[in-house]
Amino acid sequence: MRARRATINDVADAAGLSRGTVSRVVNGEKYVSAEARTAVEAAIAQVGYVRNTAARNLVTQESRAIGLIIHEPHSLLFEDPNIGSILLGANEALSKADYQLVTLIIDSDRDSHRVADHLRGGLIDGAVIVSARASDPIAAAVADIGLPAAFVGHPDGTPDLPYAAIDNVEAARAITSRLLGTGRRRVGMIASALDRDSGQDRLAGFRAAMGERYDPRLVVEYPLYTYAAGFEGMQKLLRRDPSIDGVFAASDAVAAGAMTALQEAGRRVPEDVGIVGFDDSSWALRCRPQLSTVRQPAGLLGTTAAELVLAQLMGLPSSPRVLETVVMWRGSA
Amino acid sequence: MRARRATINDVADAAGLSRGTVSRVVNGEKYVSAEARTAVEAAIAQVGYVRNTAARNLVTQESRAIGLIIHEPHSLLFEDPNIGSILLGANEALSKADYQLVTLIIDSDRDSHRVADHLRGGLIDGAVIVSARASDPIAAAVADIGLPAAFVGHPDGTPDLPYAAIDNVEAARAITSRLLGTGRRRVGMIASALDRDSGQDRLAGFRAAMGERYDPRLVVEYPLYTYAAGFEGMQKLLRRDPSIDGVFAASDAVAAGAMTALQEAGRRVPEDVGIVGFDDSSWALRCRPQLSTVRQPAGLLGTTAAELVLAQLMGLPSSPRVLETVVMWRGSA
DNA sequence: GCGGTTTCTGGGAGCGTTCACAGAGCGTTC
DNA sequence: GAACGCTCTGTGAACGCTCCCAGAAACCGC
């Protein structure tokens, strides 16, 4: 059993002053004499006082903490370097504003409910929601209690909340066009994560760029943005059409898997088959040849979403923000 | 401005019952009549009541939340898949015990202090600390207030707290011996993260296995477990001694970088140079040839550390736990 | 010396809960 | 029908803090 923690009253007694004065010192307010201040500081050190945040939150009705909710299947937390960047980006913005970032991960239905309770309970002043699916109960909980929040990405069917996102359709269209510009005749796609806006939009962009040349037989689909999906998907495409000479992979991890499959099948990249990815994550520079891909500003997405939440907290209007992407052209196509 | 949230008193009024009865219903206690229960439930739905957790925490003196503190430099959060596994492992154990996992990341000195305040403030009942360095102010804060805690890994110089770890010295010794067993004559090491116990211990294990054959000129050091460190380190080793025929890389990411450097230099793996890594992370299976490495049970480390904290919370004794590692022998050596 | 302003301190009230206790109602037992 | 136990409900007190108001003390200008 831990010893009882010292309270503000213990400090007041030790300093021979009142609760109110101690509170003023702790919060750095005006109207405290120099001698009272030093007496209180000495007393704090003496009794080992640390302020009880729960009590403080109760009366101030705020927690100065923002939740970042990650709802990803197991594997993605390892494979997708974007999540880490988003996390750090958000942390940076919140840290500057002196808010604590609290990351909550959802890995089961049980988690889902507990996290919803956590949000509702007032332990958090706002939330950044990463990779929610349309059916997400968290999005509902947030809307339910009117918690200031913002999405990273923009799943449809979710409540009318601000978001920070990129234009996946346009970016996918742009890089596919570029790939076509290298003279490829049979171009396929390894699509992934069609249960999410990003997956759907990248496929739509591919389709738009292909126009007449679009051939559904050259599109394979996988549930997750993984290396394994790319590896298997490429093998399947090669079987379906050995003359394939270009591939758009839905993410860099997928592209890396596809590249390995191609090289094992004896195809040269980019001479025989050109390949492009999406994200410009750390995968891109690790491939040989290095990957041509779309740079997605993951850190900035996190920062921007955090700022959208902070704006709401300050009563400012906050509207969706679409960030720029850039095609990074390297050796793989 | 958000509308005032409904309190337990609003529910009591709406139901025509007292605070106490409402509290009993909300907490699922005995001694509530069926009709009172339904009346309260209707009233809760009517006024949209959700319990204020800060108030509850204040009186119960617990939060049912456990912090997981990650203190990593930027790059590692992306490159090191272990962190994700540890996170999910810890979440699983805590989820079962109906505790909320709250991840706090430290990315600057400013964060460091805010996180320490968060711990001290009573918002958390315990903490799992990942990859602390000896100088970590968090470790001090934890010891300071006697918060139940456990480390993943075991930095020395830290307070006398329980930990979940692997025996890095023994594991490094084992895989180096195995590498030597394939008949290699000039074996080097790309060491990393010597500011941490894992980095130091892996080097010590290598040294132990090499015995007489240990040559400090064949050891290069890098600050972080990264792909880039492996790439550069291997190039440096090749320059120092072109006859090198074996390498122990301090992690799989490092090994992957080293393998790329070797292949670009025209060396065959494993024929010309054998290479072994550490972690058995997702990197290992992606390399061609696949990596021989030490399997580290990252998820289990997280689970175990979480259980150590839970045990302390229940007043049970909890002592350090060292988990088993296994050498995974594949194609790279 | 007096009214007015500024600086500083103390303490009551209240934040939204849970907890412990008192007491009412009812059925069972001797 | 008194004594006992069980079920159910209401209420005061407490958790540790901030906020606000009242009032004391100090300083100012005329």
Side-chain angles (χ1 to χ4, degrees):
Chain A
M1 195 57 94
R2 257 147 81 214
R4 198 182 68 85
R5 288 175 49 171
T7 76
I8 200 171
N9 290 307
D10 298 330
V11 176
D13 290 352
L17 288 160
S18 76
R19 230 171 51 237
T21 306
V22 176
S23 178
R24 277 181 284 265
V25 171
V26 170
N27 294 306
E29 284 171 25
K30 294 173 59 182
Y31 300 143
V32 178
S33 66
E35 59 188 298
R37 172 160 279 123
T38 55
V40 168
E41 280 162 357
I44 285 176
Q46 185 200 322
V47 304
Y49 171 71
V50 305
R51 153 162 93 212
N52 180 319
T53 313
R56 174 172 224 263
N57 291 352
L58 179 58
V59 41
T60 59
Q61 304 279 46
E62 63 164 26
S63 66
R64 292 206 78 80
I66 303 286
L68 187 140
I69 295 136
I70 298 180
H71 189 168
E72 283 289 356
H74 268 176
S75 51
L76 247 86
L77 211 54
F78 316 147
E79 300 238 3
D80 191 344
N82 283 324
I83 305 248
S85 299
I86 291 169
L87 201 70
L88 290 172
N91 187 57
E92 202 184 319
L94 296 176
S95 186
K96 271 193 199 127
D98 203 31
Y99 273 84
Q100 173 64 45
L101 179 69
V102 166
T103 305
L104 305 172
I105 84 169
I106 299 180
D107 190 34
S108 67
D109 282 353
R110 190 181 185 133
D111 289 347
S112 194
H113 291 113
R114 206 169 356 76
V115 168
D117 284 351
H118 199 89
L119 298 187
R120 288 203 180 90
L123 294 175
I124 267 171
D125 294 342
V128 173
I129 304 169
V130 177
S131 65
R133 246 59 39 93
S135 59
D136 212 313
I138 293 298
V142 163
D144 196 31
I145 54 168
L147 193 72
F151 286 95
V152 172
H154 181 223
D156 31 72
T158 47
D160 186 29
L161 288 167
Y163 57 88
I166 57 167
D167 187 340
N168 279 287
V169 178
E170 171 51 24
R173 199 202 52 68
I175 196 155
T176 305
S177 299
R178 183 87 184 248
L179 176 61
L180 287 168
T182 63
R184 313 284 168 179
R185 330 217 76 213
R186 300 286 296 156
V187 174
M189 173 169 183
I190 305 172
S192 292
L194 295 177
D195 58 336
R196 293 208 254 157
D197 63 316
S198 64
Q200 282 291 349
D201 290 353
R202 290 175 199 183
L203 177 54
F206 173 75
R207 202 162 180 158
M210 294 296 286
E212 298 273 290
R213 285 169 284 187
Y214 179 77
D215 177 356
R217 279 185 19 88
L218 288 185
V219 175
V220 292
E221 296 170 9
Y222 285 84
L224 300 174
Y225 293 120
T226 58
Y227 180 90
F231 190 78
E232 286 171 36
M234 194 65 238
Q235 290 180 329
K236 195 185 282 182
L237 284 177
L238 283 171
R239 254 180 277 125
R240 285 200 192 162
D241 184 352
S243 74
I244 191 167
D245 62 0
V247 187
F248 170 38
S251 89
D252 287 353
V254 175
M259 190 180 287
T260 303
L262 280 170
Q263 288 165 344
E264 290 198 350
R267 308 295 174 105
R268 289 169 306 162
V269 176
E271 294 84 349
D272 301 333
V273 183
I275 177 165
V276 296
F278 204 109
D279 284 348
D280 198 26
S281 67
S282 45
W283 287 96
L285 295 176
R286 269 177 226 149
C287 291
R288 304 289 141 159
Q290 293 184 337
L291 222 48
S292 293
T293 187
V294 175
R295 165 163 292 170
Q296 165 162 215
L300 196 56
L301 283 169
T303 307
T304 306
E307 284 167 354
L308 289 174
V309 174
L310 291 174
Q312 289 174 64
L313 249 22
M314 296 190 297
L316 272 44
S318 76
S319 52
R321 297 258 284 276
V322 176
L323 305 181
E324 290 298 311
T325 56
V326 185
V327 169
M328 305 299 292
W329 204 252
R330 301 202 179 94
S332 70
Chain B
M1 197 55 96
R2 255 147 83 213
R4 198 182 67 87
R5 287 174 50 169
T7 75
I8 201 171
N9 290 306
D10 299 330
V11 176
D13 291 352
L17 287 161
S18 76
R19 231 170 53 236
T21 309
V22 175
S23 178
R24 276 181 284 267
V25 171
V26 170
N27 292 306
E29 283 171 27
K30 291 174 61 180
Y31 300 142
V32 178
S33 67
E35 58 187 297
R37 172 161 277 124
T38 54
V40 168
E41 281 163 356
I44 286 176
Q46 185 200 322
V47 304
Y49 171 72
V50 305
R51 178 219 269 127
N52 181 319
T53 313
R56 172 172 226 262
N57 291 352
L58 179 57
V59 43
T60 59
Q61 302 280 47
E62 63 164 24
S63 66
R64 294 207 76 81
I66 303 286
L68 186 139
I69 294 136
I70 298 181
H71 189 167
E72 284 288 358
H74 268 177
S75 51
L76 247 84
L77 212 53
F78 316 147
E79 300 238 4
D80 190 345
N82 282 324
I83 304 251
S85 299
I86 290 169
L87 202 69
L88 290 172
N91 187 57
E92 203 184 317
L94 295 176
S95 186
K96 271 193 200 127
D98 203 32
Y99 273 84
Q100 173 64 47
L101 179 69
V102 167
T103 306
L104 305 172
I105 84 169
I106 299 180
D107 190 35
S108 67
D109 283 352
R110 190 181 184 131
D111 289 346
S112 193
H113 290 114
R114 208 171 352 78
V115 168
D117 283 350
H118 199 90
L119 299 186
R120 288 202 179 91
L123 295 174
I124 268 172
D125 294 341
V128 172
I129 303 168
V130 178
S131 64
R133 246 60 38 93
S135 58
D136 212 313
I138 294 299
V142 163
D144 196 31
I145 55 167
L147 193 72
F151 286 95
V152 172
H154 181 222
D156 31 72
T158 47
D160 187 28
L161 287 167
Y163 57 86
I166 56 168
D167 186 341
N168 279 288
V169 178
E170 171 51 25
R173 199 202 51 69
I175 197 155
T176 305
S177 298
R178 183 88 183 246
L179 177 62
L180 287 168
T182 63
R184 314 283 167 178
R185 331 217 74 212
R186 300 286 297 157
V187 174
M189 172 168 183
I190 304 171
S192 293
L194 294 177
D195 58 337
R196 293 208 254 158
D197 62 317
S198 64
Q200 283 291 349
D201 290 354
R202 290 175 198 183
L203 177 55
F206 172 76
R207 202 161 179 159
M210 294 296 286
E212 299 273 291
R213 285 170 285 187
Y214 178 78
D215 177 356
R217 279 184 21 86
L218 288 185
V219 175
V220 291
E221 296 170 9
Y222 286 84
L224 300 173
Y225 292 121
T226 57
Y227 180 90
F231 189 79
E232 285 171 37
M234 194 66 237
Q235 290 180 329
K236 194 184 284 182
L237 284 177
L238 283 170
R239 253 179 277 125
R240 286 199 191 163
D241 184 352
S243 74
I244 191 167
D245 62 359
V247 186
F248 169 38
S251 89
D252 286 354
V254 175
M259 190 180 287
T260 302
L262 280 171
Q263 288 165 344
E264 291 198 350
R267 308 295 174 104
R268 289 170 305 162
V269 176
E271 294 84 351
D272 300 332
V273 183
I275 176 164
V276 296
F278 204 108
D279 285 346
D280 198 26
S281 67
S282 46
W283 286 96
L285 296 175
R286 267 177 228 149
C287 291
R288 303 289 141 158
Q290 294 184 336
L291 222 49
S292 293
T293 187
V294 174
R295 166 163 291 172
Q296 164 162 215
L300 195 56
L301 283 170
T303 307
T304 306
E307 285 168 355
L308 289 174
V309 174
L310 291 174
Q312 289 174 64
L313 249 21
M314 296 191 295
L316 272 43
S318 76
S319 53
R321 296 257 284 277
V322 175
L323 305 181
E324 291 297 311
T325 55
V326 185
V327 170
M328 306 298 293
W329 204 251
R330 301 202 180 92
S332 71

